[in-house]
Structure formats: C-alpha cells, structure tokens
Amino acid sequence: MWEEKDNKLQRVFEFKDFVRAFAFMTRVAFIAEKMNHHPEWTNVWNKVSISLSSHDAGGIVTDKDRKLAESIDKVYAEMN
C-alpha cells in the first residue's frame, strides 16, 4: 500500500526478478509520460521504490500523484 510520508506518496514493489521489475518500470514510464507526471524511483534487483509528489505544487502530494499511484497499482496487479 502507498504511504504518505514527508510530503510524498511512497511504495516499494517487489517482483520475481530483475527483468519483471524493469518491465514494470517501462510500463509505468509510458503512463507517467502520457500524464506528464514523472516519479522519483530506484530499482535494486527485484525491487522498485517509487515516491510521488507534485513539484509544480510546491513538492506536496496532489490528485495528480494519487491518479498516477492508482495507475501504477493497476500495472502491478496485471503483472502479478
């Protein structure tokens, strides 16, 4: 589940392996680009850590972040 902490929505996603984690990131990248709202993220082997906040709103969590988080959750559900 997403956690709101330090003015960011944060979540860690875990996958079977690196290839699945990277495929997830690729799918999320296309969604983020279409929404013009890009995540802060890291990938270490099978884990992808994502933080969302709206820099144009002063670095706080907005509806844009919640909508992107919802889309990310759908991708994750489809892949697992």
Side-chain angles (χ1 to χ4, degrees):
M1 295 302 292
W2 291 91
E3 177 184 8
E4 191 167 340
K5 182 178 176 186
D6 300 325
N7 291 321
K8 295 179 182 183
L9 282 180
Q10 302 177 355
R11 183 169 177 187
V12 176
F13 297 87
E14 192 167 339
F15 298 88
K16 180 178 144 186
D17 55 31
F18 175 75
V19 172
R20 287 186 184 258
F22 197 85
F24 170 77
M25 292 178 74
T26 301
R27 289 183 61 187
V28 170
F30 283 105
I31 293 166
E33 184 65 17
K34 189 174 183 177
M35 294 177 72
N36 193 31
H37 192 55
H38 305 94
E40 177 182 326
W41 56 10
T42 60
N43 167 238
V44 178
W45 189 59
N46 71 331
K47 292 183 181 165
V48 177
S49 300
I50 301 178
S51 295
L52 303 173
S53 64
S54 295
H55 302 286
D56 58 349
I60 61 170
V61 175
T62 67
D63 284 340
K64 280 174 72 171
D65 303 299
R66 289 183 183 86
K67 287 178 185 173
L68 181 53
E70 184 178 310
S71 294
I72 291 169
D73 285 343
K74 287 178 184 175
V75 170
Y76 185 68
E78 290 171 4
M79 295 183 70
N80 286 310

